[in-house]
Amino acid sequence: MVGTGYVGLVSGLCFAEFGFETLCVDKDQSRINSIAKGVCPFFEPGLDDLLVKHLNSTKRFSLSNNLSESLKEASVVFITVGTPTKRLENEADLNDVYAVAEKISENIVNYCVVVTKSTVPVGTTRKIKEIISQKSSSDKFDVVSNPEFLREGSAINDFMHPDRVVIGTENKKSEDIMRQIYRPLYLQKTSILSTTIESAEVIKYASNSFLATKISFINEVADLCETVGADVQDVSKAMGLDKRIGEKFLHAGPGFGGSCFPKDVKAFSATAKKHNIEFSIINAVNASNESRPRRIASKIKNRFNNKLDGISIGILGLSFKPNTDDIRDSTSIIIANELNKSGGNIKCFDPHAMTNAKEILPDIDYCKSAYDVCKGSRVLIIATEWNEFRALDLKKIKELMKDPVIFDLRNIYNETEVKDMGIEYHGVGK
Ligand code: UGA
């Protein structure tokens, strides 16, 4: 595994769990040192335990910062480096991917399969092949696209029990090797789809973009529900019962965030544009989602006639979703920032993401618990649906807050129950 981000580290440890000898490589020596001590560089439930197990007991998992040396031993090399959005452009930045391909081209000793697992635009794996071909003969390697579909927060389970595995190859030899690697999943009846390399690359972006579209769709329906007296939760439940639609990813909220959807919808559209195809739906999804957290912040400001000066606002949840400390493109950070700029006194709490949040939002107050946030606050915003925020003691909240107003951006409370407590309540799409 080249790259020890979510995909690389989780996949490396899960392949070790399957029984393979796995080596994770990263150019960042301090990151490697910390992982070698059993400390994951990010919070992911269950990953620390898996790391300690494979470092100490099975010894099937090792680490290195020397890519050239590591490549000499590998029969399969997974490229799992980041592909962030380029600065000032919507395209994916592939510099790290191509740098790894260069290294591979210089260091292949025995035949190996080079697998793109990073999310890369269609055409990238062919380009990797071209780069490697410049210094290695074509019988020494094959390229494969094997996109990853794991979610942060449930990454191990998603890896071990995926809905499908996609393997894009151009010959039987590399396909057979990949099928052997995923044999433990095949034995548990996971669908393993063989496609062309191009199809595999498109499948990844099309899947993420479609899920993002579902979210933006229901978010706009939620806006309508708010104005016409409908309830978006009833609407999405009834829609989801239609098997052609499906219930997943129809939860209205503050917009999608994280390190994948926002960057992938942009990159997918940028790829289409390069091929003279205008992705009007994806572009609309991107625009709708980019404006959403600010519109939510405006709604909160409007409640106070756009005068937030001196108003104490508590925010629960800073990560882009529960069970992660990842704050990349987190809507809750955008909302916190907007309200802070508008003069609100912001207090917040997140079970795992406060260390990361402090780096980009240093001038707000960080509290020790959800109730600590409530103390003396006028407004409480539930921004991320961590389990521990789902059953807060409303009576206690009412006592701790001053004339409380709750904005439940994830619809995790029952509107009637909260209102019956004498608390002003605003859900999403209600
Ligand atoms: C996403 C995909 O779900 C994974 O399949 C994919 O492998 C991953 O991107 C990736 O490309 O690496 P992830 O970003 O970890 O996974 O998180 P999701 O659970 O998909 O949530 C993304 C965002 O959508 C979050 O901000 C979440 O709050 C939001 N969301 C999700 C909603 O607002 N409503 C929903 O109904 C579902």
Side-chain angles (χ1 to χ4, degrees):
M1 298 290 151
V2 187
T4 57
Y6 274 95
V7 174
L9 196 53
V10 171
S11 307
L13 285 165
C14 289
F15 279 131
E17 188 72 0
F18 284 169
F20 294 106
E21 281 204 25
T22 316
L23 174 62
C24 275
V25 190
D26 203 298
K27 60 185 176 188
D28 181 343
Q29 180 66 57
S30 66
R31 195 171 174 97
I32 288 291
N33 291 346
S34 127
I35 302 171
K37 286 186 196 130
V39 181
C40 285
F42 46 83
F43 170 69
E44 177 63 38
L47 202 61
D48 276 330
D49 292 345
L50 210 56
L51 175 62
V52 170
K53 172 181 167 186
H54 288 293
L55 280 175
N56 299 341
S57 321
T58 72
K59 310 259 197 286
R60 286 196 292 270
F61 177 80
S62 47
L63 292 150
S64 170
N65 83 329
N66 188 333
L67 181 54
S68 309
E69 276 307 307
S70 309
L71 289 166
K72 291 184 176 137
E73 307 215 346
S75 23
V76 182
V77 179
F78 285 88
I79 302 178
T80 56
V81 295
T83 53
T85 307
K86 275 185 188 168
R87 253 174 73 86
L88 310 176
E89 280 174 69
N90 282 343
E91 280 176 40
D93 182 340
L94 298 171
N95 282 337
D96 285 354
V97 171
Y98 293 142
V100 174
E102 292 279 353
K103 278 270 188 246
I104 294 173
S105 75
E106 290 157 8
N107 291 285
I108 294 182
V109 180
N110 301 311
Y111 171 84
C112 79
V113 180
V114 178
V115 186
T116 328
K117 215 180 213 338
S118 303
T119 299
V120 294
V122 59
T124 306
T125 306
R126 295 259 172 224
K127 180 93 192 284
I128 290 171
K129 183 179 176 181
E130 262 173 55
I131 294 171
I132 303 175
S133 298
Q134 282 164 12
K135 291 187 184 152
S136 289
S137 72
S138 58
D139 60 341
K140 280 271 172 153
F141 75 98
D142 278 307
V143 289
V144 168
S145 166
N146 169 223
E148 185 48 66
F149 301 104
L150 55 81
R151 288 163 301 174
E152 292 182 21
S154 53
I156 298 172
N157 190 57
D158 286 352
F159 191 95
M160 294 294 183
H161 305 279
D163 289 344
R164 79 305 207 183
V165 171
V166 175
I167 301 173
T169 59
E170 51 181 359
N171 60 37
K172 182 93 175 48
K173 183 177 178 184
S174 53
E175 185 191 332
D176 287 348
I177 292 172
M178 292 304 289
R179 283 188 173 268
Q180 210 180 324
I181 288 179
Y182 283 108
R183 208 174 116 80
L185 295 181
Y186 177 71
L187 293 176
Q188 68 186 36
K189 301 206 168 20
T190 302
S191 298
I192 303 200
L193 279 91
S194 294
T195 69
T196 63
I197 288 173
E198 285 71 21
S199 298
E201 289 172 331
V202 172
I203 286 166
K204 170 68 192 190
Y205 279 100
S207 301
N208 273 6
S209 300
F210 187 76
L211 292 171
T213 303
K214 275 186 103 174
I215 300 169
S216 289
F217 178 87
I218 203 66
N219 283 343
E220 292 198 352
V221 171
D223 290 344
L224 176 68
C225 288
E226 272 176 32
T227 52
V228 297
D231 183 328
V232 76
Q233 280 185 299
D234 290 339
V235 174
S236 56
K237 184 163 186 204
M239 282 175 66
L241 286 169
D242 183 331
K243 290 192 180 65
R244 294 169 301 173
I245 297 173
E247 60 178 351
K248 305 262 170 68
F249 282 68
L250 280 183
H251 301 289
F256 55 80
S259 66
C260 303
F261 286 176
K263 104 177 147 59
D264 291 352
V265 292
K266 289 188 190 88
F268 200 28
S269 174
T271 302
K273 203 166 183 183
K274 273 193 169 168
H275 295 274
N276 297 319
I277 291 158
E278 190 66 18
F279 265 176
S280 60
I281 296 173
I282 304 295
N283 293 342
V285 167
N286 184 41
S288 170
N289 194 65
E290 288 209 324
S291 61
R292 188 158 182 86
R294 281 177 193 89
R295 278 189 288 122
I296 299 252
S298 296
K299 192 173 117 182
I300 297 168
K301 284 190 257 177
N302 279 342
R303 163 61 187 80
F304 296 94
N305 302 319
N306 292 318
K307 291 190 190 85
L308 290 188
D309 281 333
I311 294 190
S312 181
I313 301 171
I315 299 185
L316 299 184
L318 296 166
S319 54
F320 82 96
K321 63 184 272 189
N323 297 325
T324 178
D325 60 358
D326 196 342
I327 54 160
R328 284 175 286 178
D329 275 332
S330 166
T331 48
S332 104
I333 298 279
I334 301 170
I335 292 167
N337 206 14
E338 284 292 311
L339 300 178
N340 191 33
K341 278 193 301 190
S342 303
N345 299 330
I346 313 293
K347 299 199 279 180
C348 63
F349 172 72
D350 186 287
H352 283 277
M354 293 206 286
T355 310
N356 288 340
K358 278 176 193 166
E359 283 179 24
I360 54 166
L361 264 183
D363 54 348
I364 61 171
D365 285 339
Y366 291 86
C367 299
K368 289 193 178 70
S369 71
Y371 294 115
D372 207 11
V373 167
C374 294
K375 245 178 247 165
S377 290
R378 172 88 164 89
V379 182
L380 184 67
I381 301 169
I382 303 168
T384 313
E385 69 280 31
W386 285 90
N387 274 343
E388 67 179 78
F389 302 151
R390 286 178 184 271
L392 294 169
D393 181 344
L394 294 173
K395 193 164 167 270
K396 192 166 165 184
I397 287 184
K398 187 157 186 226
E399 282 161 15
L400 290 170
M401 289 179 69
K402 271 197 244 155
D403 200 6
V405 181
I406 292 184
F407 286 89
D408 177 4
L409 304 186
R410 301 291 182 164
N411 287 338
I412 57 176
Y413 280 86
N414 179 300
E415 184 174 7
T416 318
E417 271 173 34
V418 182
K419 284 185 171 165
D420 283 352
M421 295 291 301
I423 298 174
E424 185 180 320
Y425 176 86
H426 302 267
V428 171
K430 283 168 179 290

